[in-house]
Amino acid sequence: MNSLNRKFCIAPMMERTDRHFRFLARLISRRAVLYTEMVPVPALMHGHPQRVLAFNPEERPLALQLGGSAVDDLAASARMAQEAGYDEVNLNVGCPSARVRDGRFGACLMADPALVAECVEAMANACDLPVTVKTRIGIDERDSYDELCEFVGYVAAAGCPTFIVHARKAWLRGLNPKQNRTVPPLRYDTVYRLKRDFPALAIIINGGITTMEAASGHLDHVDGVMLGREAYGNPWLLAEVDRRFYGASDPPPSRSEVLARYLPYVEQQLANGVSQNTVTRHLMGLYQGLPGAKQWRRMLGGQARADGDGVDLIRRAARLVEDHVGGGELCMSTI
């Protein structure tokens, strides 16, 4: 039931980890565990669940993250996740935004471990998928280690064997979501201690991890790492994942090979009526750190919104990078 290898995960990020980014990420790493954007449970209960839950089979292993606190609706959503083919269902107990708090889900639920436990138990009883929780180390003034242990122990007993822990507390008032990702200090030692005190649980650490070296170092203390915005802004980091974390022997694809495989996907999405910017915006960081990357971003960011050039725009932008680096692994004959 809990067979996913979560040594390396990409965090759920609103307006970032949609199905188009996940398809791109999977072209670079075949083993990283991907997470959807947080899906509010009302969107499944009162919207179009088939459309909301749709994904490309190539994205797996893939986890669905849910936001909500209505026990019966979460159970129904977990069943939908299994029927749709997801590999995990995750409950968001970490988002500090006011909108999320007003809907009574996210980080504010840390103040009610009994409710979170009830939600987890209902979800676990409703499906055969692993049910996991993504949480903070505390909220507001409720950030003692004892309170964190009480929360984790209560929820684990209800059927949650895996916790993804953002190593910062959240301020529910006074800081916006962006500030909550940077202002509260990182307390990695707290997450390490949690693993020592709950050795039977899988503990995945999240927050402020920006390099593969740092990610590898965390694995001396916990079971897995989760990267967020660094993986989105510089997706080529993922080229190291399969060999470094999963022991793969095959060399990673080149950027040009990834782009060559992404272009037919772009064409397919455009034919289905998806706007060009929707599928090309995730490519912005592909050439991060290379000469010509600025021109690449400028061309994609400016002209893609016109929705007029299709994949030719991407090819032209890639040639700008090739002009700066002199070809090599950017051989455009493959694109």
Side-chain angles (χ1 to χ4, degrees):
M1 180 176 177
N2 195 24
S3 61
L4 281 184
N5 188 333
R6 302 180 185 83
K7 276 191 175 180
F8 190 95
C9 309
I10 299 180
M13 292 175 280
M14 295 300 292
E15 300 182 352
R16 285 172 172 79
T17 51
D18 64 15
R19 61 187 300 183
H20 310 302
F21 171 75
R22 299 192 305 262
F23 187 90
L24 174 66
R26 186 58 72 217
L27 295 178
I28 304 172
S29 168
R30 290 188 289 179
R31 299 293 298 277
V33 178
L34 307 180
Y35 284 71
T36 68
E37 303 171 271
M38 182 185 66
V39 175
V41 167
L44 298 178
M45 295 296 100
H46 309 296
H48 299 86
Q50 290 184 331
R51 184 174 65 194
V52 174
L53 295 176
F55 65 91
N56 305 286
E58 296 89 345
E59 297 170 35
R60 299 180 64 187
L62 177 63
L64 172 69
Q65 187 184 68
L66 296 173
S69 60
V71 175
D72 291 343
D73 288 350
L74 280 166
S77 298
R79 281 193 295 271
M80 292 182 195
Q82 179 169 318
E83 292 166 359
Y86 285 88
D87 300 290
E88 172 189 324
V89 59
N90 175 267
L91 180 62
N92 184 315
V93 190
C95 181
S97 80
R99 180 177 64 84
V100 167
R101 184 181 68 241
D102 291 344
R104 205 173 179 226
F105 53 93
C108 67
L109 292 178
M110 288 197 76
D112 195 345
L115 175 59
V116 176
E118 187 180 359
C119 291
V120 163
E121 183 175 23
M123 293 164 69
N125 288 336
C127 71
D128 295 323
L129 299 178
V131 175
T132 67
V133 166
K134 188 171 189 296
T135 186
R136 294 280 184 137
I137 59 173
I139 53 172
D140 298 332
E141 303 299 338
R142 303 183 61 167
D143 63 344
S144 72
Y145 184 69
D146 287 344
E147 287 172 302
L148 176 61
C149 285
E150 179 186 9
F151 174 83
V152 169
Y154 213 107
V155 176
C160 179
T162 302
F163 290 80
I164 302 164
V165 186
H166 188 146
R168 290 184 173 95
K169 76 172 183 179
W171 286 102
L172 300 183
R173 301 187 186 279
L175 295 181
N176 61 37
K178 182 178 180 180
Q179 292 169 324
N180 262 304
R181 291 194 297 268
T182 57
V183 174
L186 286 161
R187 289 160 51 188
Y188 292 137
D189 286 347
T190 297
V191 186
Y192 298 165
R193 184 180 175 187
L194 196 66
K195 176 59 185 178
R196 292 195 301 268
D197 290 343
F198 292 89
L201 298 180
I203 303 295
I204 316 301
I205 198 167
N206 172 231
I209 306 169
T210 60
T211 68
M212 294 295 103
E213 290 74 18
S216 294
H218 286 299
L219 291 180
D220 292 336
H221 308 279
V222 294
D223 301 290
V225 295
M226 175 177 276
L227 266 69
R229 277 158 178 76
E230 189 68 26
Y232 183 83
N234 183 14
W236 200 246
L237 281 175
L238 305 179
E240 292 186 50
V241 165
D242 292 1
R243 290 185 296 175
R244 181 185 285 264
F245 298 99
Y246 296 99
S249 57
D250 296 339
S254 67
R255 286 180 174 88
S256 61
E257 289 169 336
V258 168
L259 203 54
R261 293 169 62 191
Y262 193 65
L263 292 185
Y265 176 80
V266 173
E267 290 181 312
Q268 179 187 59
Q269 297 303 311
L270 295 179
N272 291 339
V274 177
S275 73
Q276 183 161 322
N277 186 57
T278 297
V279 286
T280 58
R281 66 189 180 93
H282 302 301
L283 292 168
M284 291 286 197
L286 186 63
Y287 294 109
Q288 181 74 20
L290 290 183
K294 184 176 181 180
Q295 289 88 337
W296 161 265
R297 292 193 299 270
R298 183 183 298 124
M299 179 172 283
L300 289 188
Q303 297 186 30
R305 293 183 178 86
D307 292 339
D309 292 327
V311 297
D312 288 339
L313 169 66
I314 302 173
R315 291 193 179 98
R316 292 201 308 272
R319 290 191 184 99
L320 289 176
V321 184
E322 185 180 55
D323 288 345
H324 281 81
V325 300
E329 71 101 12
L330 294 175
C331 179
M332 297 303 299
S333 64
T334 62
I335 300 178

